[in-house]
Amino acid sequence: MNYDLMLKIQLGIRHSVGRLGPTESIKLKPTAFDAKKRLGTKFPPEGLKHTPPHQSSEFIWRDYCPLVFRALRKLFNLDVDDYILSICGNDAFRELSSTWKGGSFFYLTHDDKYMIKIIKKSKVRVLNRMLPAYFEHVKSFENTLVTKYCGLHCVKLSGPIQKKVRFVIMGNFLCTEVPIHRRYELKGSSHMGITEKPETEIDANTTLTDLDLKVIFRLQKDWFQEFCSQVNKDCDFLEQERITDYNLLVGISFQEPHRQAAEVNATHDSNGTTPSLSADMDSLINPTKYNCLRLGIKMPACIEFTVRSNDTQLVGEPTGQFGDVILFIGIIDILQDYDKSKHTYKSFQCDPTSISAIDPRFYSKRFKDFIFRVFSDDS
């Protein structure tokens, strides 16, 4: 992100969020969800009565449903001052990847708490359309795994083109002091194939997919039951909103002393090699060691390694070899509404049951069937 655009975003956030201030109530009138009444504020370099002077060029700042997002930040227990400081501090945003997810631009705040994603107008329409249902879902289920949307904004740049940059601010599921060693985005499809990247180049920012996963996650019984219940509720919500192509983000922190063996075994392919990790169950992690704030955050778990018999097998066979991990889990990419024409076109090119652009009901079922195979009760 160029410095000028970052400065505009910081000026806009400081003005709009700071001006609203905190709220004690999450009760909203129906008019709060009317995206057509988005607020626009002009920011000339010399400043106005309610805007500060700045060193950037003139721009117009627009908020979408600001009262709704203020209430959402309240539901997420976000402190207003901390939120502004995270986004508007002196440090620059960090770009994750300009080619990640088909050209989407992702940026992290300096403290890793928030992601800023530049989105198309079509995604803005989807989020605005589903916002009332999203708000009710988040309000009803405090342990929901769906993405935390904290703000939706637009910067209209000056000049002959009048370019508009629309972006959404989201909570970062992988913001933690615990080191993340691997990240997977799982959806129950073999269409994405295996990540073609040398092991030495894979890090926490490398997006690994279904066929890269060579473990089964075993959760304690109570966590597993709550996890299954919440995944069902979240998928029901997304299905009702006609959303498809979402992913389960899984961040893995391998725990010592098994970290090196775990990382090696996590990359074994279907050559019949048996993982060599010790199965000493006495070393399983103490669940009281980490403070689990909510479902999906710092969840102690056990992984069992698997081996595939072929390259297209989604879930391999368990080997009886185990390791200790801490998991971070969330459902992301929830702004793709179902496009029947896109599904029809893609279904001619490949197996229609393996692609992402499928009917939300079928996608939800396939997603859950896969997730409930790679997550199980550790009993």
Side-chain angles (χ1 to χ4, degrees):
M1 179 179 294
N2 64 63
Y3 178 80
D4 186 66
L5 178 57
M6 184 190 75
L7 179 60
K8 287 177 167 63
I9 290 176
Q10 292 178 330
L11 285 166
I13 292 293
R14 189 179 291 112
H15 167 79
S16 61
V17 176
R19 179 171 53 87
L20 282 175
T23 180
E24 296 299 324
S25 174
I26 58 171
K27 294 182 179 180
L28 296 171
K29 296 179 180 179
T31 53
F33 294 92
D34 188 353
K36 294 180 181 179
K37 294 183 178 179
R38 56 186 179 271
L39 304 176
T41 304
K42 184 179 291 187
F43 278 77
E46 65 275 14
L48 294 172
K49 182 179 180 180
H50 299 293
T51 63
H54 57 86
Q55 297 179 340
S56 182
S57 57
E58 180 175 313
F59 66 97
I60 295 176
W61 174 268
R62 288 178 177 168
D63 286 312
Y64 295 84
C65 305
L67 296 181
V68 178
F69 285 102
R70 180 177 67 169
L72 284 170
R73 294 191 294 269
K74 172 76 173 178
L75 285 172
F76 299 146
N77 296 313
L78 302 181
D79 179 81
V80 174
D81 293 335
D82 289 344
Y83 180 74
I84 294 175
L85 184 61
S86 291
I87 300 171
C88 306
N90 295 326
D91 297 290
F93 301 148
R94 301 201 316 278
E95 184 175 342
L96 285 182
S97 174
S98 59
T99 58
W100 194 22
K101 282 290 176 185
S104 297
F105 288 82
F106 287 83
Y107 302 92
L108 275 174
T109 56
H110 70 95
D111 54 8
D112 290 348
K113 288 184 179 180
Y114 303 99
M115 298 177 68
I116 298 169
K117 181 182 180 181
I118 309 298
I119 60 176
K120 297 178 180 179
K121 186 177 181 179
S122 60
K123 303 292 186 184
V124 173
R125 285 198 296 262
V126 173
L127 182 51
N128 281 327
R129 187 205 73 210
M130 66 186 285
L131 196 54
Y134 174 84
F135 180 80
E136 289 301 319
H137 184 76
V138 168
K139 186 170 67 172
S140 300
F141 305 108
E142 64 177 356
N143 283 332
T144 179
L145 296 170
V146 297
T147 301
K148 290 182 177 180
Y149 288 119
C150 305
L152 180 62
H153 313 277
C154 175
V155 174
K156 184 177 181 181
L157 305 177
S158 59
I161 301 179
Q162 297 285 297
K163 181 181 178 181
K164 295 179 180 178
V165 179
R166 302 171 180 88
F167 64 96
V168 64
I169 300 176
M170 309 173 288
N172 178 17
F173 284 117
L174 302 185
C175 176
T176 172
E177 73 282 2
V178 178
I180 301 296
H181 302 114
R182 292 291 182 273
R183 65 171 289 152
Y184 292 85
E185 293 187 12
L186 309 174
K187 62 175 62 182
S189 170
S190 60
H191 183 58
M192 295 300 292
I194 298 174
T195 301
E196 297 180 359
K197 199 171 187 179
E199 167 63 18
T200 54
E201 297 180 14
I202 294 177
D203 58 22
N205 291 324
T206 303
T207 303
L208 301 173
T209 62
D210 301 59
L211 290 180
D212 297 308
L213 186 68
K214 298 175 179 65
V215 299
I216 293 174
F217 302 101
R218 304 202 180 278
L219 305 177
Q220 295 176 15
K221 184 176 181 179
D222 290 345
W223 278 120
F224 177 69
Q225 291 177 345
E226 186 174 354
F227 171 76
C228 291
S229 174
Q230 193 58 57
V231 168
N232 278 316
K233 292 170 183 174
D234 289 340
C235 285
D236 286 347
F237 157 69
L238 295 171
E239 182 181 328
Q240 290 167 9
E241 292 302 307
R242 305 283 294 168
I243 301 299
T244 187
D245 201 19
Y246 43 88
N247 300 282
L248 188 76
L249 170 66
V250 181
I252 305 176
S253 178
F254 296 118
Q255 299 300 290
E256 301 292 356
H258 300 319
R259 174 185 166 187
Q260 290 183 344
E263 289 180 319
V264 170
N265 281 300
T267 62
H268 278 182
D269 50 30
S270 55
N271 59 5
T273 304
T274 301
S276 59
L277 185 63
S278 168
D280 180 8
M281 298 306 291
D282 292 334
S283 66
L284 286 180
I285 193 165
N286 180 355
T288 63
K289 182 178 178 181
Y290 292 95
N291 179 24
C292 248
L293 299 179
R294 57 181 290 269
L295 183 69
I297 301 297
K298 291 185 183 177
M299 291 180 62
C302 173
I303 54 173
E304 181 174 6
F305 294 99
T306 61
V307 174
R308 288 184 173 85
S309 59
N310 59 72
D311 291 338
T312 60
Q313 183 180 2
L314 271 179
V315 183
E317 299 300 322
T319 64
Q321 304 296 315
F322 300 88
D324 310 334
V325 295
I326 297 293
L327 298 181
F328 299 80
I329 305 170
I331 298 177
I332 62 172
D333 298 330
I334 63 170
L335 296 182
Q336 178 60 59
D337 59 345
Y338 176 56
D339 185 336
K340 190 173 182 179
S341 61
K342 183 179 178 182
H343 171 242
T344 302
Y345 172 74
K346 283 195 172 184
S347 65
F348 284 115
Q349 298 179 309
C350 53
D351 179 4
T353 63
S354 70
I355 61 178
S356 299
I358 59 176
D359 182 278
R361 291 170 297 177
F362 186 90
Y363 189 92
S364 174
K365 183 180 185 305
R366 190 187 70 186
F367 177 85
K368 290 186 291 185
D369 287 347
F370 175 71
I371 296 304
F372 296 152
R373 290 177 66 194
V374 296
F375 284 82
S376 69
D377 181 356
D378 184 20
S379 59

CSV table of all heavy atoms in Angstrom, one decimal, residues 15 25 30 34 44 52 73 79 114 120 131 164-165 169 176 220-221 228 255 267 277 280 298 305 332 377:
chain,number,residue,atom,x,y,z
A,15,HIS,N,-11.0,10.0,12.3
A,15,HIS,CA,-12.1,10.9,12.3
A,15,HIS,C,-13.4,10.2,12.5
A,15,HIS,O,-14.2,10.6,13.4
A,15,HIS,CB,-12.2,11.7,10.9
A,15,HIS,CG,-13.4,12.4,10.7
A,15,HIS,ND1,-13.7,13.6,11.2
A,15,HIS,CD2,-14.6,12.1,10.0
A,15,HIS,CE1,-14.9,14.1,10.9
A,15,HIS,NE2,-15.4,13.1,10.1
A,25,SER,N,-24.8,0.6,24.2
A,25,SER,CA,-25.9,-0.2,23.8
A,25,SER,C,-25.6,-0.7,22.4
A,25,SER,O,-24.9,-0.1,21.6
A,25,SER,CB,-27.2,0.7,23.7
A,25,SER,OG,-28.2,-0.1,23.2
A,30,PRO,N,-33.7,0.0,12.4
A,30,PRO,CA,-33.5,-0.6,11.0
A,30,PRO,C,-32.8,0.4,10.1
A,30,PRO,O,-32.1,-0.1,9.2
A,30,PRO,CB,-35.0,-0.8,10.6
A,30,PRO,CG,-35.7,-1.0,11.9
A,30,PRO,CD,-35.1,-0.1,12.9
A,34,ASP,N,-29.1,0.9,6.6
A,34,ASP,CA,-29.3,1.4,5.2
A,34,ASP,C,-28.0,1.9,4.7
A,34,ASP,O,-27.6,3.0,5.0
A,34,ASP,CB,-30.4,2.5,5.3
A,34,ASP,CG,-30.8,3.0,3.9
A,34,ASP,OD1,-30.2,2.5,2.9
A,34,ASP,OD2,-31.7,3.8,3.8
A,44,PRO,N,-10.0,18.2,2.7
A,44,PRO,CA,-9.0,19.0,1.9
A,44,PRO,C,-7.7,19.1,2.7
A,44,PRO,O,-7.7,19.0,4.0
A,44,PRO,CB,-9.7,20.4,1.8
A,44,PRO,CG,-10.6,20.4,3.0
A,44,PRO,CD,-11.0,19.0,3.3
A,52,PRO,N,-8.9,17.5,10.2
A,52,PRO,CA,-7.6,18.2,10.4
A,52,PRO,C,-6.8,18.5,9.1
A,52,PRO,O,-7.1,17.9,8.1
A,52,PRO,CB,-6.8,17.1,11.2
A,52,PRO,CG,-7.3,15.8,10.7
A,52,PRO,CD,-8.8,16.1,10.4
A,73,ARG,N,-18.2,-3.8,17.0
A,73,ARG,CA,-16.9,-3.7,17.7
A,73,ARG,C,-17.2,-3.8,19.2
A,73,ARG,O,-16.4,-4.4,20.0
A,73,ARG,CB,-16.2,-2.3,17.4
A,73,ARG,CG,-15.7,-2.2,16.0
A,73,ARG,CD,-14.8,-1.0,15.8
A,73,ARG,NE,-15.5,0.2,15.9
A,73,ARG,CZ,-16.1,0.9,15.0
A,73,ARG,NH1,-16.1,0.4,13.7
A,73,ARG,NH2,-16.6,2.1,15.2
A,79,ASP,N,-11.9,-2.1,22.4
A,79,ASP,CA,-11.8,-0.8,23.0
A,79,ASP,C,-11.6,0.2,21.9
A,79,ASP,O,-10.7,0.0,21.0
A,79,ASP,CB,-10.6,-0.7,24.0
A,79,ASP,CG,-10.5,0.6,24.6
A,79,ASP,OD1,-11.2,0.9,25.5
A,79,ASP,OD2,-9.6,1.4,24.1
A,114,TYR,N,-5.4,-6.5,13.2
A,114,TYR,CA,-6.4,-6.3,12.2
A,114,TYR,C,-5.8,-6.4,10.8
A,114,TYR,O,-4.7,-6.1,10.5
A,114,TYR,CB,-7.0,-4.9,12.3
A,114,TYR,CG,-7.6,-4.7,13.7
A,114,TYR,CD1,-6.9,-4.0,14.7
A,114,TYR,CD2,-8.9,-5.2,14.0
A,114,TYR,CE1,-7.5,-3.8,15.9
A,114,TYR,CE2,-9.4,-5.1,15.3
A,114,TYR,CZ,-8.7,-4.4,16.2
A,114,TYR,OH,-9.2,-4.2,17.5
A,120,LYS,N,-13.7,-5.4,-4.0
A,120,LYS,CA,-14.5,-4.9,-5.1
A,120,LYS,C,-15.9,-4.4,-4.7
A,120,LYS,O,-16.4,-4.7,-3.6
A,120,LYS,CB,-14.7,-5.9,-6.2
A,120,LYS,CG,-13.4,-6.4,-6.8
A,120,LYS,CD,-13.6,-7.5,-7.8
A,120,LYS,CE,-12.3,-8.0,-8.4
A,120,LYS,NZ,-12.5,-9.1,-9.4
A,131,LEU,N,-25.6,-7.8,6.2
A,131,LEU,CA,-25.2,-7.2,7.4
A,131,LEU,C,-26.2,-7.4,8.5
A,131,LEU,O,-25.9,-7.7,9.7
A,131,LEU,CB,-24.9,-5.7,7.2
A,131,LEU,CG,-24.1,-5.0,8.3
A,131,LEU,CD1,-22.8,-5.7,8.7
A,131,LEU,CD2,-23.8,-3.5,7.9
A,164,LYS,N,-12.2,5.1,-6.6
A,164,LYS,CA,-12.7,4.7,-5.3
A,164,LYS,C,-12.0,3.5,-4.8
A,164,LYS,O,-11.9,2.5,-5.5
A,164,LYS,CB,-14.2,4.5,-5.4
A,164,LYS,CG,-15.0,5.7,-5.7
A,164,LYS,CD,-16.5,5.4,-5.8
A,164,LYS,CE,-17.3,6.7,-6.1
A,164,LYS,NZ,-18.8,6.4,-6.2
A,165,VAL,N,-11.5,3.5,-3.6
A,165,VAL,CA,-10.8,2.4,-3.0
A,165,VAL,C,-11.7,2.0,-1.8
A,165,VAL,O,-11.8,2.7,-0.8
A,165,VAL,CB,-9.4,2.7,-2.5
A,165,VAL,CG1,-8.8,1.5,-1.8
A,165,VAL,CG2,-8.5,3.2,-3.6
A,169,ILE,N,-12.2,-3.8,7.2
A,169,ILE,CA,-11.3,-4.1,8.3
A,169,ILE,C,-11.8,-5.3,9.1
A,169,ILE,O,-13.0,-5.3,9.5
A,169,ILE,CB,-11.2,-2.8,9.3
A,169,ILE,CG1,-10.7,-1.6,8.5
A,169,ILE,CG2,-10.2,-3.2,10.4
A,169,ILE,CD1,-10.6,-0.4,9.3
A,176,THR,N,-1.3,-13.5,17.7
A,176,THR,CA,-1.0,-14.2,18.9
A,176,THR,C,0.5,-14.1,19.2
A,176,THR,O,1.3,-14.0,18.3
A,176,THR,CB,-1.4,-15.7,18.8
A,176,THR,OG1,-1.0,-16.4,19.9
A,176,THR,CG2,-0.9,-16.3,17.5
A,220,GLN,N,-10.3,-32.1,22.6
A,220,GLN,CA,-11.0,-32.7,23.8
A,220,GLN,C,-12.5,-32.7,23.6
A,220,GLN,O,-13.0,-31.9,22.9
A,220,GLN,CB,-10.6,-31.8,25.0
A,220,GLN,CG,-9.2,-31.8,25.4
A,220,GLN,CD,-8.9,-30.8,26.5
A,220,GLN,OE1,-9.8,-30.3,27.2
A,220,GLN,NE2,-7.6,-30.5,26.7
A,221,LYS,N,-13.1,-33.6,24.3
A,221,LYS,CA,-14.5,-33.9,24.0
A,221,LYS,C,-15.4,-32.7,24.0
A,221,LYS,O,-16.2,-32.4,23.1
A,221,LYS,CB,-15.1,-34.9,25.0
A,221,LYS,CG,-16.5,-35.4,24.7
A,221,LYS,CD,-16.9,-36.5,25.7
A,221,LYS,CE,-18.4,-36.9,25.3
A,221,LYS,NZ,-18.8,-38.0,26.3
A,228,CYS,N,-18.2,-28.6,16.7
A,228,CYS,CA,-19.2,-29.1,15.7
A,228,CYS,C,-20.4,-28.3,15.8
A,228,CYS,O,-21.0,-28.0,14.7
A,228,CYS,CB,-19.4,-30.6,16.0
A,228,CYS,SG,-18.0,-31.7,15.7
A,255,GLN,N,4.1,-27.8,19.2
A,255,GLN,CA,4.6,-27.6,20.6
A,255,GLN,C,5.9,-28.4,20.8
A,255,GLN,O,5.9,-29.6,20.3
A,255,GLN,CB,3.5,-28.0,21.6
A,255,GLN,CG,2.3,-27.1,21.5
A,255,GLN,CD,2.6,-25.6,21.8
A,255,GLN,OE1,2.9,-25.3,22.9
A,255,GLN,NE2,2.5,-24.8,20.8
A,267,THR,N,4.8,-32.6,6.0
A,267,THR,CA,5.0,-32.4,4.6
A,267,THR,C,5.2,-33.7,3.9
A,267,THR,O,5.5,-33.7,2.7
A,267,THR,CB,6.3,-31.6,4.4
A,267,THR,OG1,7.4,-32.3,5.0
A,267,THR,CG2,6.2,-30.2,5.0
A,277,LEU,N,7.3,-39.7,14.5
A,277,LEU,CA,7.1,-38.9,15.7
A,277,LEU,C,6.7,-39.8,16.9
A,277,LEU,O,5.9,-40.8,16.7
A,277,LEU,CB,5.9,-37.9,15.5
A,277,LEU,CG,5.7,-36.9,16.6
A,277,LEU,CD1,6.9,-36.0,16.9
A,277,LEU,CD2,4.5,-36.1,16.3
A,280,ASP,N,4.3,-40.7,22.6
A,280,ASP,CA,4.2,-40.6,24.1
A,280,ASP,C,3.1,-39.7,24.5
A,280,ASP,O,3.2,-38.5,24.5
A,280,ASP,CB,5.6,-40.1,24.6
A,280,ASP,CG,5.6,-40.0,26.1
A,280,ASP,OD1,4.6,-40.5,26.7
A,280,ASP,OD2,6.5,-39.4,26.6
A,298,LYS,N,-6.4,-20.3,20.6
A,298,LYS,CA,-5.4,-21.0,21.5
A,298,LYS,C,-6.0,-22.3,22.0
A,298,LYS,O,-5.9,-22.6,23.2
A,298,LYS,CB,-5.0,-20.1,22.7
A,298,LYS,CG,-4.2,-18.9,22.3
A,298,LYS,CD,-3.7,-18.2,23.6
A,298,LYS,CE,-2.9,-16.9,23.3
A,298,LYS,NZ,-2.5,-16.2,24.5
A,305,PHE,N,-1.0,-38.1,12.6
A,305,PHE,CA,-0.5,-38.0,11.3
A,305,PHE,C,-1.2,-39.0,10.4
A,305,PHE,O,-1.6,-40.1,10.9
A,305,PHE,CB,1.0,-38.1,11.2
A,305,PHE,CG,1.7,-37.0,11.9
A,305,PHE,CD1,2.2,-37.1,13.2
A,305,PHE,CD2,1.9,-35.8,11.2
A,305,PHE,CE1,2.8,-36.0,13.8
A,305,PHE,CE2,2.5,-34.7,11.8
A,305,PHE,CZ,3.0,-34.9,13.1
A,332,ILE,N,-13.4,-17.9,7.0
A,332,ILE,CA,-13.0,-16.7,6.3
A,332,ILE,C,-13.5,-16.7,4.9
A,332,ILE,O,-14.1,-17.7,4.4
A,332,ILE,CB,-11.5,-16.5,6.3
A,332,ILE,CG1,-10.8,-17.7,5.6
A,332,ILE,CG2,-10.9,-16.4,7.7
A,332,ILE,CD1,-9.3,-17.5,5.3
A,377,ASP,N,-13.0,-36.3,18.0
A,377,ASP,CA,-13.0,-36.3,19.4
A,377,ASP,C,-11.8,-37.1,19.9
A,377,ASP,O,-11.6,-38.2,19.5
A,377,ASP,CB,-14.3,-37.0,19.9
A,377,ASP,CG,-14.4,-37.1,21.4
A,377,ASP,OD1,-13.4,-36.7,22.1
A,377,ASP,OD2,-15.4,-37.5,21.9
